[in-house]
Amino acid sequence: MTVAEGSFDPDPFGVFGLVPETSDPGEAASLAVALAAPVGPERIAGLAQVDARLLDAHDLVDHMTAWAQCVSWVTGQGEVALARVAGPAPEPELGTHDPSSKPTGNITEDQVCASVGAALHITPYAAMNRIVDARNAVTVLAPVTARVLEGVWTRSHLWSAGQVTAGHRKVLAAAAVHAACAEAGAERWTPGRLGRRIKNALVRLDSDAVSKRIRARRHDRGARLDPEGDLHGRISVEGSWETMSWAFRQFRRWAETERDRLRHIRKHDPSARFCCPQAMARLLTHATGDTHSTGTGGAGSNRGSAGPG
């Protein structure tokens, strides 16, 4: 298969042209009017009249920031609209239940998921997740959504807050979100920092959940050294997929560094004696080859073994 010559346009929107040293006076005035409008329909209408190709570097940054704030406003409005369509989460004891009904088993809720999925061209399962996020956005995460509607925060802030509060009791999660959002300077936080501040607040408020999480992590981690005869042994490490993936990358990085060091010493002094046994040297030499890790379990676990040592 060949690509027809000239079929690819490297700049279909014409955005990579030269940036003028000074903005066109008319476009600069239109941008100023748009920036003076509140975040929402008025600002969007004003920005739509601005030709970014006639703006200088300084005004381009203001233009980009203004559009980003409008995108946040649209994101917040979308969450509110979806929550309005879905309505409140049904009580477990209410509604008609059918184990064969998908994706929730509650017929009324599944009809909502099917309707939302059809409207958004997504599966009912994906619609279910979107509905859960939207309901959280207007209840537990209401202070975060308010900042998103103001254009201060983005969808990433909503996602980060939702990840941190998942699994906690709603009353305590809402209190933690409110406490974090009320801190001074919160409007300048990144999504990661917002998540950490909410997590810290949850530690103070929901000690039971934190204790369960700590116990689960202690149970999930383990390292074992097993003898296998003939002066061989096996190191087995178990943990969450995220932790074990990080440990595996660290081991490979260390192995590559140690391998290169040993090769350098051997190159200059072939008779040099290494500080580690030859078996370990061979292990390090092969550790960076085609080594694969496997994951099992719900959250995932990574099992790695190091042989002869």
Side-chain angles (χ1 to χ4, degrees):
M1 178 179 179
T2 60
V3 179
E5 185 176 356
S7 62
F8 171 69
D9 185 355
D11 188 12
F13 296 102
V15 299
F16 296 130
L18 293 176
V19 177
E21 294 184 1
T22 58
S23 297
D24 179 82
E27 298 301 326
S30 298
L31 177 62
V33 172
L35 294 178
V39 177
E42 295 181 15
R43 177 172 292 191
I44 293 175
L47 290 174
Q49 305 301 319
V50 178
D51 188 349
R53 293 171 295 183
L54 302 179
L55 300 178
D56 61 21
H58 181 272
D59 286 341
L60 278 175
V61 173
D62 292 339
H63 182 259
M64 174 198 68
T65 303
W67 271 120
Q69 292 172 340
C70 292
V71 169
S72 295
W73 179 84
V74 171
T75 296
Q77 292 292 346
E79 297 298 325
V80 173
L82 179 54
R84 179 65 175 170
V85 169
E91 297 294 334
E93 64 275 6
L94 299 179
T96 304
H97 295 270
D98 182 0
S100 63
S101 180
K102 304 296 180 183
T104 68
N106 184 305
I107 295 179
T108 302
E109 182 75 351
D110 292 340
Q111 291 174 347
V112 174
C113 293
S115 300
V116 171
L120 300 181
H121 304 289
I122 57 179
T123 66
Y125 286 91
M128 175 187 66
N129 293 329
R130 288 287 304 274
I131 290 172
V132 171
D133 292 341
R135 286 170 175 160
N136 286 334
V138 298
T139 53
V140 175
L141 306 179
V144 181
T145 303
R147 297 286 180 92
V148 172
L149 288 170
E150 295 170 1
V152 176
W153 285 344
T154 65
R155 178 187 292 274
S156 297
H157 290 79
L158 265 176
W159 182 87
S160 180
Q163 292 294 306
V164 172
T165 55
H168 290 271
R169 287 171 286 178
K170 290 187 176 181
V171 174
L172 295 177
V177 171
H178 179 79
C181 293
E183 293 188 28
E187 64 277 359
R188 296 188 297 272
W189 288 353
T190 63
R193 187 174 182 185
L194 172 64
R196 291 190 295 272
R197 300 304 297 177
I198 295 176
K199 183 183 295 185
N200 292 340
L202 282 170
V203 169
R204 297 190 298 268
L205 295 172
D206 199 356
S207 57
D208 292 341
V210 174
S211 299
K212 292 179 181 178
R213 188 179 303 111
I214 292 175
R215 289 195 298 269
R217 286 181 177 178
R218 287 176 177 174
H219 177 73
D220 191 40
R221 297 176 181 175
R224 186 174 65 254
L225 174 62
D226 299 319
E228 294 195 344
D230 297 330
L231 300 180
H232 284 68
R234 179 178 297 274
I235 298 175
S236 301
V237 183
E238 298 181 10
S240 67
W241 176 260
E242 180 181 5
T243 302
M244 291 299 97
S245 297
W246 175 86
F248 182 72
R249 291 193 300 269
Q250 291 295 106
F251 175 78
R252 292 194 63 171
R253 189 178 297 112
W254 171 73
E256 290 173 354
T257 302
E258 188 68 7
R259 178 199 60 188
D260 294 340
R261 186 183 72 84
L262 297 180
R263 285 179 176 176
H264 180 75
I265 294 175
R266 188 183 294 276
K267 179 178 179 181
H268 291 83
D269 186 3
S271 62
R273 301 181 61 184
F274 300 126
C275 60
C276 59
Q278 293 294 324
M280 179 57 72
R282 290 195 300 272
L283 170 63
L284 295 176
T285 300
H286 295 291
T288 57
D290 296 331
T291 307
H292 301 280
S293 58
T294 60
T296 59
S301 64
N302 194 16
R303 298 172 180 258
S305 62

